[in-house]
């Protein structure tokens, strides 16, 4: 069985400051891990994906995430938040060809 | 390629009515799935299919039926709509490669309201 826990339901940062969205996962096998973003009333957009290659994964819009097997974590970071980053972020796990399992989401607010 | 298409975009139903949410993909993917999104719950898997003629239940299958007669189409049926089925529904299609994992493509979503 697989599961994902997003440790914060809401994160608020000031524009220009770093972003950290935390995610822990559970998987019986080698996982694939994803971060998706959803802007208000929009669809889902893939930010980045880990599939057992480099543990530091770079995504779009300056986001990156580090896979830490010993901590079962896949936290999402960005050095400097922009107003356009305000959205809902989902951490997602899959193993092999099993369907994706989503976390409950973290809402990121960016304050001017 | 149109990718994954869903119709309708919006729908309002009365309790007890039935309807079918349509999903189609033109990428020849074997895997297709349906999710529902509710505030604070993320996306939860309703049903999925690993190929034509093969379907299986996800986390929240009650009240929904699916079938997969072709590779391209994966309709979701609500037989007797209930207010608890008010949600945004996403269809996805995907393929699996051992070196890249699951590559998943989402449709734009259908916003359903049951009154």
């Amino acid at each position: 069985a697989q599961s994902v826990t997003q440790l914060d339901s809401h994160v608020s940062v000031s524009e220009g400051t770093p972003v950290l969205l935390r995610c822990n996962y559970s998987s019986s096998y080698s996982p694939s891990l994803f971060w998706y973003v959803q802007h208000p009333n929009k669809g889902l957009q893939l930010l980045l994906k880990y599939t057992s290659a480099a543990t530091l994964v770079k995504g779009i819009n300056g986001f990156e995430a580090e896979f830490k097997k010993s901590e079962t974590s896949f936290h999402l970071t960005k050095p400097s938040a922009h107003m356009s980053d305000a959205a809902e972020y989902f951490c997602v796990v899959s193993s092999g060809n099993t369907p994706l399992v989503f976390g409950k989401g973290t809402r990121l607010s960016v304050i001017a | 390629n149109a990718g994954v298409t869903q119709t309708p975009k919006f729908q309002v139903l009365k309790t007890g009515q039935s309807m079918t949410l349509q999903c189609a993909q033109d990428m020849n993917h074997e895997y297709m799935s349906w999710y529902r999104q509710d505030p604070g719950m993320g996306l939860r898997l309703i049903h999925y299919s690993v190929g034509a003629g093969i379907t299986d239940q996800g986390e929240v299958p009650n009240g929904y039926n699916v079938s997969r007669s072709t590779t391209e189409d994966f309709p979701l049926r609500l037989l007797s709509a209930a207010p608890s089925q008010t949600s945004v529904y996403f269809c996805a299609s995907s393929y699996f490669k051992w070196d890249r994992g699951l590559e998943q493509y989402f449709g734009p979503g259908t916003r359903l309201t049951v009154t």
Side-chain angles (χ1 to χ4, degrees):
Chain A
Q2 302 167 102
S3 66
V4 168
T5 301
Q6 292 186 243
L7 297 167
D8 306 292
S9 59
H10 182 216
V11 170
S12 184
V13 300
S14 298
E15 191 174 22
T17 65
V19 174
L20 170 64
L21 304 184
R22 300 181 295 164
C23 172
N24 286 351
Y25 71 91
S26 172
S27 178
S28 302
Y29 304 100
S30 296
S32 294
L33 292 157
F34 311 77
W35 277 98
Y36 281 85
V37 61
Q38 185 180 37
H39 288 91
N41 298 313
K42 299 290 187 184
L44 294 154
Q45 181 182 21
L46 180 65
L47 272 180
L48 50 81
K49 178 175 74 171
Y50 164 80
T51 54
S52 76
T55 56
L56 183 61
V57 183
K58 293 189 184 302
I60 60 172
N61 300 335
F63 285 95
E64 62 182 38
E66 186 171 7
F67 173 71
K68 291 188 176 180
K69 186 175 180 180
S70 61
E71 299 176 11
T72 60
S73 69
F74 191 58
H75 302 335
L76 182 70
T77 60
K78 183 174 180 178
S80 175
H82 191 272
M83 295 298 290
S84 60
D85 295 328
E88 186 96 18
Y89 291 79
F90 296 99
C91 183
V92 182
V93 66
S94 176
S95 181
N97 59 3
T98 59
L100 302 185
V101 175
F102 281 74
K104 296 187 177 187
T106 298
R107 182 165 60 92
L108 176 65
S109 298
V110 182
I111 304 165
Chain B
N1 284 354
V4 181
T5 58
Q6 291 183 237
T7 56
K9 284 187 168 47
F10 301 94
Q11 183 72 48
V12 178
L13 289 178
K14 293 189 188 312
T15 296
Q17 288 184 317
S18 62
M19 80 159 295
T20 299
L21 307 186
Q22 301 291 347
C23 175
Q25 53 98 1
D26 61 358
M27 298 172 281
N28 202 33
H29 289 166
E30 289 296 321
Y31 303 100
M32 296 187 73
S33 48
W34 277 102
Y35 296 84
R36 60 176 288 172
Q37 182 180 20
D38 303 292
M41 300 298 291
L43 274 73
R44 292 179 292 170
L45 184 67
I46 304 172
H47 287 283
Y48 65 101
S49 168
V50 299
I54 307 169
T55 64
D56 205 349
Q57 296 181 350
E59 180 185 355
V60 288
N62 291 342
Y64 307 94
N65 280 351
V66 292
S67 59
R68 184 97 179 269
S69 55
T70 67
T71 299
E72 295 78 19
D73 300 298
F74 191 44
L76 179 72
R77 297 183 185 84
L78 284 71
L79 298 179
S80 178
S84 61
Q85 294 178 305
T86 294
S87 188
V88 180
Y89 291 85
F90 287 97
C91 179
S93 77
S94 51
Y95 69 95
F96 177 74
K97 284 190 172 182
W98 284 108
D99 60 338
R100 294 180 60 80
L102 203 66
E103 296 271 340
Q104 185 133 324
Y105 299 78
F106 284 92
T110 295
R111 188 175 294 272
L112 175 67
T113 301
V114 183
T115 61

